[in-house]
Amino acid sequence: MEQTLPWVVRELPPPGSLDLWLLRVSDVPLGILDEQVLDATERQRAATLMHAADRTRFTAAHVALRRLLGSYLSLRPEEVHFGRDTCPCCGGPHGRPTVLDADDRLFFSLSHRGDLAVVGTAAAPIGVDVELVPDEDGTADLAAMLHVDEQAELAALSPPARPRALARLWTRKEAYLKGLGTGLGRDPSLDYVGSGRPEGPYPPSGWTLLDVPVDRGYAAAVAVRGELTVQGPLVRRLAGLDLVRHTCDALQKARTPP
């Protein structure tokens, strides 16, 4: 289910709940993304991407993230400053992304792939992931990285059914690892999340893992620490026009042929 919302000042998600948003990058008018809200690190990361489509997706996703977090914290998007928790694997300063000075009131996660970006927020550690469903030839290498029981589940399926099941399983896996703060620094074969039971929830203990309804050809999942006390997940759609500079000059420039 999707619900289109305007940009508003939002209440922080209460314990036992989470908020999810979906952005379709193709909905964002080209040439007038509000890139000014990004910091120097984000602009540098975007500039290193070789393909224009990748740069647009990265920029749109990070502008959306800043606007969402700012709406919770009563900050302008450019006033949101990011940090990193300590990595649980090695103790280095590259763990879960955080908002500085948010006092652990707000946890967030961002994932983008293809035409989609997904943002999740909660009052507890959270991870989201979205992936394209691979073709049949692209499943073997990825499946080899999984828990032995997950590999067995995939092997028991017919070849045409494996790509969708693998995408569903892999997004659950990455969402959980992002929630832990390790990402793929933790061996994906260590934790079982399973390929079946689309109604959820799934292991591991102490976390809630749910599939997220997204567009055909994609799979997505969310992991949040603890139990949810509200029904979910409801996916709210982010309107592309909310990510652009709403000025006559910008709109006129975009419409004027070179």
Side-chain angles (χ1 to χ4, degrees):
M1 181 186 302
E2 292 181 10
Q3 177 180 345
T4 301
L5 294 180
W7 291 106
V8 295
V9 175
R10 305 180 191 280
E11 294 185 1
L12 293 168
S17 70
L18 58 86
D19 291 341
L20 290 171
W21 288 270
L22 171 71
L23 172 68
R24 293 187 179 94
V25 178
S26 57
D27 289 344
V28 179
L30 296 178
I32 51 176
L33 268 173
D34 194 5
E35 301 175 31
Q36 299 174 21
V37 306
L38 302 182
D39 63 22
T41 299
E42 290 166 315
R43 293 193 194 101
Q44 183 178 18
R45 288 178 62 190
T48 62
L49 299 173
M50 294 181 58
H51 302 293
D54 294 335
R55 293 192 295 271
T56 298
R57 179 173 61 246
F58 177 93
T59 301
H62 283 257
V63 170
L65 177 65
R66 282 181 167 275
R67 288 191 174 276
L68 280 170
L69 297 179
S71 72
Y72 285 117
L73 301 171
S74 298
L75 297 172
R76 292 183 298 180
E78 61 270 26
E79 294 174 335
V80 175
H81 299 296
F82 296 110
R84 288 275 185 174
D85 279 345
T86 300
C87 174
C89 293
C90 68
H94 47 257
R96 180 189 300 110
T98 63
V99 180
L100 297 180
D101 300 322
D103 300 326
D104 287 343
R105 293 173 297 155
L106 180 64
F107 293 83
F108 71 91
S109 183
L110 165 68
S111 181
H112 47 86
R113 188 77 65 199
D115 190 44
L116 300 185
V118 177
V119 179
T121 57
I126 186 173
V128 298
D129 190 55
V130 61
E131 302 287 346
L132 287 160
V133 175
D135 57 31
E136 290 186 30
D137 295 333
T139 61
D141 291 343
L142 200 58
M145 300 171 61
L146 300 175
H147 189 281
V148 61
D149 291 340
E150 294 167 344
Q151 294 184 44
E153 290 175 6
L154 292 175
L157 299 174
S158 65
R162 289 173 191 163
R164 178 66 186 171
L166 175 62
R168 185 169 58 237
L169 191 158
W170 187 259
T171 56
R172 296 175 188 173
K173 181 87 64 174
E174 281 221 49
Y176 172 61
L177 295 178
K178 287 182 179 181
L180 286 179
T182 65
L184 292 176
R186 179 176 172 86
D187 186 344
S189 70
L190 295 178
D191 304 292
Y192 174 82
V193 298
S195 61
R197 294 192 297 126
E199 71 281 1
Y202 324 107
S205 177
W207 288 78
T208 298
L209 270 67
L210 295 170
D211 294 335
V212 176
V214 288
D215 295 7
R216 185 177 180 86
Y218 293 83
V222 59
V224 63
R225 191 169 66 191
E227 295 185 5
L228 293 181
T229 58
V230 297
Q231 186 176 4
L234 170 68
V235 183
R236 295 174 170 88
R237 182 177 175 185
L238 298 174
L241 284 174
D242 290 321
L243 309 185
V244 305
R245 299 187 296 273
H246 293 290
T247 68
C248 293
D249 289 345
L251 291 170
Q252 182 61 38
K253 181 179 179 181
R255 293 168 180 162
T256 302

